[in-house]
Amino acid sequence: MVHISRVQKRPKGHAREAEVTDYVYGTHFAAQDLPHHEMAEREMPAAVAYRLIKDELSLDGNPLLNLASFVTTYMEDEAQNLMTDSMSKNFIDYEQYPQTANIQNRCINMIADLLHAPTAESPDDQDSIGTSTVGSSEGIMLAMLAMKKRWQNRRKAEGKDSTRPNIVMNSAVQVCWEKAARYFDVEEKYVYCTETRYVIDPEGAVNLVDENTIGICAILGTTYTGQYEDVKAINDLLIKKKIDCPIHVDAASGGFVAPFVNPSLEWDFRLPKVVSINVSGHKYGLVYPGVGWVFWRSAEYLPKELIFNVNYLGTEQATFTLNFSKGASNIIGQYYQLIRLGRHGYRSVMQNLTRTADHLATELQKLNFIIMSDGAGGGLPLVAYRLPPDENRLWDEYALAHVLRQRGWVIPAYTMAPHSNQLKMMRIVLREDFSMDRCNVLVEDMKMAMKTLEEMDRAMIEQYIRHSSRQSQSGKPDHPVYPGEKHSLQGKTGKTHAVANAINFTQETWTNDIFAAQAAHIDAFALNLGYGLHNYELILNDAFTVAHRHNFKMFLSFDLGQGSQWPADEIVHVIDNYATGSAYYKHHDDKPLVSTFEGGQSADVWKDVRHNAQSEFFFIPDWSSLGIKAASSSPLIDGLMSWHAWPAGAHDMNTTLDEEYIAALDGRPYIMPVSPWFYTNLPVFDKNWAWRGDDLWFDRWQQVLELAPEYVEIITWNDYGESHYIGPMHEDDLGIFAVGDAPFNYAEGMPHDGWRAFLPYVIDLYKSGGKNASFDKEGVVSWYRLNPGSACMSGKTTPGQLSVEGTNTTSPRTLMQDRIFYSALLESAADVTVSIGGASKTGSWVDTPSGQKGLYHGSVPIDGMTGEVVVTLSRAGEQIAQMKGEAITTDCRKNHGYNNWNAWVGSAMSEKNVASEKTSSNDKKSGSQRSRPAMTLLLGLVLLALV
């Protein structure tokens, strides 16, 4: 039965009450923004403040699904209640809270026992000592200070310099080690990871030790792969070599794992060279953040001048911390876990996690992932993994992480440590609340995510990758005052920052590169400058300062090819700032030379630049995409540069376009481009091309001598991402491969310095019109690819420029020749032999100077042979020079299964000098005499080019 009530009429004259409520969402606070910048004038009810803040925090992720962090996310209610009760206690106040201090001491004793810390057994022995910290970062900094101060004390006692301390560590260290070194003025000496080794190499670490080394850092559980570094091997090598160098073990993650899962592993105070250890209570110590612990073998390793005694809290007490006040609740939480779980409890938790991690690794292997972490208790309970090389797969680890994020899982995708940072990977950290059931749910979600990606087309996949890249770069935005730092390993190697090829150049780097350029008879660097880099002025200041110091020249080239475009007023600002300097290159010693890379489509911007710039400059842009006719007819230009430095299709280079430029310019200056090679595979920037290199370096210089242009620009000095660098390789500037999402680092181990060997001779020929050049030594330069064209996957690399002459080349395999190329600088004719894997071939010369003295060139086919390459010059049975090169191989595991289309270049010079007097060139193409006695060679330095 339904009961129906009659609505009664309200009595007349009964006034409504004012609309006042204590219901949270009925208050005016619910209809207003919460304060962001200033405190409100009036108070807010406690219940309202609590609810509104709680609502906002609900937007955070679920900590149980955050598999990126090592930090504890679960504690029992009893532990949380204890910690809440202690939140008001200031731990440093020993007088007021003596029992809390006593609890800290108990924790120190218990944890020290896990680490086999020594205790005094006689009056001559010393007890080990330890202290609590707010985390391992503070513990590491305290340990660094102790090692540095102890080293300084010893050096001063010996009367030696104590101002240049260094520390040896793996490049996979957590950033707190970089901070400690930077904050305390300690030089970092890195043992870099490789594509197959992600932990420190003990031999490499010990070899880096010198008289200024304060210690070696070894990691028990790296952040990247969770692997344990071989502390015992480092210890034994130091003892064997009788090197007095301490070891600090960073056991932030592994200190509470290894003692229970792998107790026989020797890594702690059982090793005599280990003098200090830090552990994190808030990781596998199972306490909420932040609490850490640091221990020293004895007071000998903690210099007393670092300890401070204070009495202004009511009692005399010693302190060694970076801060003073801190809460007591986390220390009490640590004590609760130690007595609640005991050894058996910790052992059970850690063994469960290890078994679950091994199960997860097995399931991921079934999905064809490559496991990078160590299982069965050989490392932390985590799984680091990556996708196998597959040129047909459209998606990568970043796209997979993005799809999993939609399900709620936070699994980081990132690149490995420097020198192996072309490896993309993912990592799942197992914490105590990660059960086997949740593990299986994750595996099913992983399968579903992969299926989702496989069903997407290329456009959708690229959208996912771009989105996830933006998210990874914007997740921790730059501070407006300190944007884009480049001093950390992450900043230098470009894991999350845009890369500029000379971003890490110091004045020392500039000095070394300028010396190398001057030795090659190069006169100037073109500084190719991309828009949007915040600190370009600092880098340009260094460049021009060093150039002035060494009588070298620079000039500006504005990169207008892609990305953000230079506004006219900023171009004016840069030109006016630098063009009047003594180190700036001036055309005919008169007007400052200014150039561009592209920008012809927005040529009108240069009207405003010319009108507003205080400096009247000589403008020679590269407007290749505009076409020769349109570019040469612009009233804004004083000359033109061409970017057409590589041949079209499977052909050798010709001078057709160069001759068209020269004719169209009708006497105005032409900058002729010269480049040795071109291969790039940077998917993030939609670049995966190759041009034929082969004989190009030799042929192009012959063409320069024949055409005698006013200027020549070599492309480039340091563009590693496009493989046409001829300058020294700087490891700090190889971050482009990580940022560009390259399938592997195709420049690492591929030097191009040999291409500079004969530049002094050929440049002198060019400058003198072919009349005046000499050389002191004979020699040979050789270049070739390390992988035959059919050896490995092509990487879907395509020709960068299809010829209009009918070629249908679709792969570098038919674009580039499987040959070993060589050039020689000889006093007279000589023989050349090439050995591949011990099998010798008699070489021949396809280009020879008519008078026998000068440059020779030739090549031999590889013919499927593999092994070490040796190129030998001889005359009348006597060896002149011999170049030993890298082995040709069909094993592409180093490249993740891909063919490396870059060139390896080597050179060798004779030991004997030849006649040093300058003579006229008898080269086959000696060049023509010009009106000026010496021309200027300009070399393109890809400085600050944001690609």
Side-chain angles (χ1 to χ4, degrees):
M1 176 180 178
V2 178
H3 181 75
I4 301 177
S5 296
R6 179 171 176 268
V7 178
Q8 297 183 357
K9 186 176 181 181
R10 179 169 54 86
K12 293 182 178 180
H14 189 272
R16 291 181 181 270
E17 295 181 3
E19 294 184 4
V20 177
T21 179
D22 59 358
Y23 187 72
V24 172
Y25 301 110
T27 66
H28 68 88
F29 299 105
Q32 298 173 351
D33 282 340
L34 287 174
H36 287 197
H37 306 293
E38 295 180 353
M39 292 174 62
E41 181 63 31
R42 302 296 297 274
E43 63 272 20
M44 180 186 293
V48 176
Y50 171 81
R51 171 50 63 180
L52 294 181
I53 294 174
K54 184 173 183 178
D55 288 350
E56 188 158 331
L57 291 175
S58 69
L59 299 175
D60 283 341
N62 183 349
L64 298 181
L65 301 181
N66 179 7
L67 305 183
S69 175
F70 289 88
V71 175
T72 297
T73 54
Y74 167 80
M75 292 183 75
E76 293 175 319
D77 291 342
E78 292 80 358
Q80 296 188 65
N81 291 337
L82 275 174
M83 294 172 71
T84 301
D85 293 343
S86 305
M87 286 182 66
S88 62
K89 291 183 178 181
N90 183 5
F91 172 75
I92 202 66
D93 195 345
Y94 300 161
E95 174 73 11
Q96 184 67 27
Y97 309 115
Q99 205 56 36
T100 299
N102 189 20
I103 284 176
Q104 180 211 231
N105 295 338
R106 296 177 191 176
C107 290
I108 288 173
N109 286 330
M110 292 180 187
I111 300 170
D113 183 52
L114 291 177
L115 308 180
H116 299 91
T119 55
E121 297 181 0
S122 70
D124 296 330
D125 293 336
Q126 291 182 323
D127 285 321
S128 57
I129 52 179
T131 187
S132 64
T133 62
V134 293
S136 274
S137 291
E138 183 185 11
I140 285 167
M141 291 187 188
L142 297 178
M144 176 88 78
L145 278 173
M147 287 190 290
K148 178 183 176 182
K149 181 58 68 174
R150 184 170 178 267
W151 171 83
Q152 286 178 325
N153 291 344
R154 186 178 74 247
R155 297 284 291 179
K156 290 176 182 177
E158 295 171 351
K160 298 178 180 178
D161 176 58
S162 61
T163 62
R164 297 183 293 118
N166 66 63
I167 187 165
V168 175
M169 49 192 175
N170 182 8
S171 62
V173 291
Q174 213 266 359
V175 70
C176 61
W177 280 98
E178 296 182 70
K179 291 180 180 179
R182 190 64 50 86
Y183 296 165
F184 303 135
D185 290 323
V186 177
E187 178 193 355
E188 304 134 284
K189 297 179 74 173
Y190 290 111
V191 179
Y192 286 97
C193 298
T194 69
E195 294 184 358
T196 56
R197 174 181 53 76
Y198 315 129
V199 293
I200 201 167
D201 172 38
E203 187 78 38
V206 173
N207 288 342
L208 286 177
V209 173
D210 58 28
E211 63 178 1
N212 294 317
T213 302
I214 66 173
I216 299 174
C217 162
I219 310 171
L220 193 75
T222 67
T223 299
Y224 289 87
T225 62
Q227 294 171 295
Y228 296 155
E229 297 190 325
D230 196 343
V231 188
K232 188 175 187 302
I234 299 173
N235 175 86
D236 294 350
L237 280 171
L238 290 172
I239 294 173
K240 179 181 179 181
K241 296 186 177 184
K242 298 180 180 179
I243 298 174
D244 182 15
C245 178
I247 300 172
H248 174 89
V249 179
D250 180 0
S253 298
F256 275 102
V257 178
F260 301 109
V261 177
N262 196 352
S264 62
L265 180 68
E266 293 184 53
W267 61 272
D268 51 20
F269 288 120
R270 286 171 287 183
L271 303 175
K273 290 295 183 180
V274 174
V275 302
S276 53
I277 300 173
N278 68 277
V279 297
S280 285
H282 60 231
K283 292 183 179 175
Y284 290 106
L286 308 183
V287 183
Y288 289 146
V291 61
W293 307 90
V294 61
F295 301 85
W296 288 268
R297 174 177 290 277
S298 68
E300 173 190 351
Y301 299 100
L302 179 54
K304 62 183 180 180
E305 58 263 47
L306 296 177
I307 309 299
F308 292 84
N309 293 295
V310 297
N311 62 6
Y312 39 72
L313 288 179
T315 185
E316 187 77 21
Q317 59 192 61
T319 176
F320 179 39
T321 58
L322 295 183
N323 61 309
F324 193 64
S325 295
K326 67 178 178 182
S329 57
N330 292 86
I331 294 171
I332 292 170
Q334 183 74 81
Y335 185 59
Y336 172 88
Q337 294 290 49
L338 291 173
I339 66 171
R340 164 74 174 88
L341 294 173
R343 287 178 176 268
H344 181 269
Y346 269 97
R347 187 180 302 113
S348 298
V349 171
M350 301 308 158
Q351 289 180 348
N352 277 347
L353 289 177
T354 300
R355 283 191 286 268
T356 305
D358 289 347
H359 169 73
L360 177 59
T362 300
E363 293 301 309
L364 292 177
Q365 282 181 312
K366 292 177 183 177
L367 297 177
N368 206 30
F369 286 103
I370 297 171
I371 304 301
M372 302 171 68
S373 48
D374 294 335
L380 298 177
L382 63 78
V383 182
Y385 58 102
R386 61 184 175 89
L387 289 164
D390 183 353
E391 62 182 0
N392 295 315
R393 185 178 55 245
L394 299 176
W395 50 276
D396 65 358
E397 289 84 350
Y398 290 97
L400 178 58
H402 181 67
V403 177
L404 288 169
R405 186 70 179 87
Q406 294 181 329
R407 180 77 167 101
W409 300 105
V410 179
I411 301 175
Y414 54 96
T415 54
M416 259 303 294
H419 289 213
S420 55
N421 57 354
Q422 67 278 6
L423 292 178
K424 290 181 289 186
M425 59 182 294
M426 302 177 75
R427 185 197 66 204
I428 298 172
V429 177
L430 280 70
R431 299 187 303 275
E432 61 172 323
D433 54 5
F434 191 81
S435 63
M436 184 67 76
D437 180 69
R438 194 181 305 162
C439 176
N440 290 329
V441 172
L442 172 61
V443 171
E444 292 305 312
D445 283 349
M446 188 81 71
K447 293 177 182 177
M448 184 62 67
M450 296 171 69
K451 183 174 183 292
T452 299
L453 289 166
E454 289 293 346
E455 292 173 351
M456 290 183 183
D457 60 18
R458 178 180 293 274
M460 181 61 73
I461 289 289
E462 290 176 350
Q463 180 180 342
Y464 261 73
I465 292 175
R466 285 196 298 270
H467 177 77
S468 58
S469 297
R470 287 195 297 269
Q471 291 296 104
S472 67
Q473 294 187 26
S474 63
K476 294 184 179 179
D478 283 341
H479 191 282
V481 181
Y482 308 109
E485 63 84 12
K486 292 294 179 181
H487 49 259
S488 69
L489 274 174
Q490 177 161 311
K492 287 179 180 178
T493 57
K495 295 176 192 170
T496 61
H497 299 287
V499 169
N501 290 36
I503 189 68
N504 298 307
F505 273 32
T506 63
Q507 288 200 12
E508 181 180 5
T509 314
W510 283 114
T511 300
N512 292 337
D513 277 31
I514 285 173
F515 284 170
Q518 288 175 323
H521 294 196
I522 292 166
D523 298 317
F525 279 159
L527 306 180
N528 190 43
L529 188 67
Y531 181 70
L533 197 66
H534 74 282
N535 61 341
Y536 71 85
E537 290 183 323
L538 297 176
I539 301 170
L540 291 181
N541 288 344
D542 280 349
F544 282 102
T545 297
V546 176
H548 170 74
R549 191 181 300 153
H550 298 294
N551 196 29
F552 192 69
K553 303 298 180 184
M554 307 271 190
F555 74 96
L556 296 167
S557 174
F558 293 90
D559 194 325
L560 302 166
Q562 55 185 328
S564 301
Q565 295 297 303
W566 280 93
D569 59 340
E570 293 220 33
I571 294 176
V572 170
H573 170 75
V574 177
I575 291 174
D576 286 343
N577 267 9
Y578 297 98
T580 58
S582 60
Y584 198 98
Y585 180 80
K586 295 177 175 62
H587 174 70
H588 293 184
D589 294 325
D590 181 16
K591 296 179 181 178
L593 178 62
V594 174
S595 188
T596 72
F597 170 70
E598 286 299 346
Q601 306 301 331
S602 55
D604 286 348
V605 72
W606 290 94
K607 292 181 181 178
D608 294 332
V609 173
R610 280 199 179 277
H611 181 266
N612 296 320
Q614 295 179 13
S615 306
E616 186 179 0
F617 56 87
F618 200 82
F619 187 44
I620 309 183
D622 158 43
W623 285 349
S624 299
S625 62
L626 203 59
I628 297 175
K629 182 177 180 180
S632 62
S633 62
S634 170
L636 297 170
I637 67 149
D638 298 306
L640 284 175
M641 177 192 172
S642 167
W643 203 256
H644 297 292
W646 305 275
H651 300 278
D652 292 332
M653 189 68 179
N654 60 46
T655 61
T656 301
L657 284 173
D658 300 301
E659 292 171 25
E660 289 178 13
Y661 268 98
I662 292 170
L665 287 167
D666 192 22
R668 289 172 292 176
Y670 171 55
I671 299 180
M672 182 172 173
V674 174
S675 187
W677 208 262
F678 199 126
Y679 163 56
T680 183
N681 191 344
L682 301 173
V684 165
F685 309 117
D686 296 322
K687 295 166 62 172
N688 189 2
W689 316 312
W691 273 264
R692 170 178 278 193
D694 295 0
D695 303 289
L696 180 61
W697 188 238
F698 177 86
D699 288 349
R700 196 60 173 155
W701 282 110
Q702 297 298 311
Q703 292 165 4
V704 165
L705 296 176
E706 181 177 347
L707 294 182
E710 177 136 8
Y711 294 109
V712 174
E713 184 166 332
I714 299 174
I715 306 174
T716 59
W717 183 257
N718 67 336
D719 195 337
Y720 310 115
E722 294 188 349
S723 305
H724 41 56
Y725 51 94
I726 68 162
M729 190 174 296
H730 302 296
E731 302 292 351
D732 286 346
D733 293 309
L734 296 180
I736 184 64
F737 297 100
V739 173
D741 200 19
F744 64 101
N745 185 336
Y746 44 85
E748 187 173 30
M750 305 292 280
H752 288 183
D753 302 85
W755 273 328
R756 302 197 307 274
F758 300 158
L759 279 184
Y761 176 78
V762 73
I763 288 173
D764 286 354
L765 280 179
Y766 158 70
K767 290 181 178 181
S768 66
K771 297 175 66 68
N772 198 15
S774 65
F775 54 93
D776 297 324
K777 292 180 182 294
E778 297 178 296
V780 62
V781 176
S782 179
W783 59 95
Y784 51 92
R785 290 179 289 105
L786 299 185
N787 305 132
S790 60
C792 323
M793 294 186 293
S794 71
K796 296 188 176 180
T797 301
T798 60
Q801 180 182 356
L802 295 177
S803 173
V804 296
E805 299 172 349
T807 179
N808 292 314
T809 301
T810 57
S811 167
R813 294 186 177 116
T814 52
L815 189 74
M816 301 177 177
Q817 302 175 79
D818 284 345
R819 304 181 71 89
I820 294 171
F821 303 90
Y822 45 81
S823 292
L825 192 55
L826 296 171
E827 182 89 300
S828 60
D831 299 318
V832 58
T833 59
V834 179
S835 169
I836 308 174
S840 186
K841 286 174 169 281
T842 300
S844 61
W845 304 110
V846 294
D847 282 270
T848 60
S850 58
Q852 294 203 348
K853 181 177 182 178
L855 279 171
Y856 290 68
H857 181 70
S859 66
V860 297
I862 293 174
D863 287 337
M865 294 188 289
T866 60
E868 185 184 51
V869 173
V870 180
V871 181
T872 305
L873 295 177
S874 61
R875 185 181 295 116
E878 182 179 351
Q879 180 174 302
I880 301 170
Q882 185 178 78
M883 189 232 52
K884 295 183 177 180
E886 282 289 316
I888 295 173
T889 178
T890 57
D891 184 350
C892 298
R893 286 176 293 180
K894 178 183 177 183
N895 309 334
H896 305 159
Y898 295 95
N899 202 314
N900 190 346
W901 300 107
N902 192 7
W904 185 93
V905 185
S907 62
M909 305 303 290
S910 65
E911 295 181 358
K912 298 179 181 179
N913 287 343
V914 299
S916 60
E917 69 271 15
K918 292 190 175 183
T919 58
S920 296
S921 168
N922 290 316
D923 268 0
K924 176 178 161 184
K925 299 171 184 175
S926 62
S928 60
Q929 186 173 0
R930 291 159 286 169
S931 58
R932 295 193 301 279
M935 311 310 293
T936 302
L937 182 79
L938 309 176
L939 190 143
L941 181 78
V942 184
L943 171 69
L944 315 178
L946 290 175
V947 291

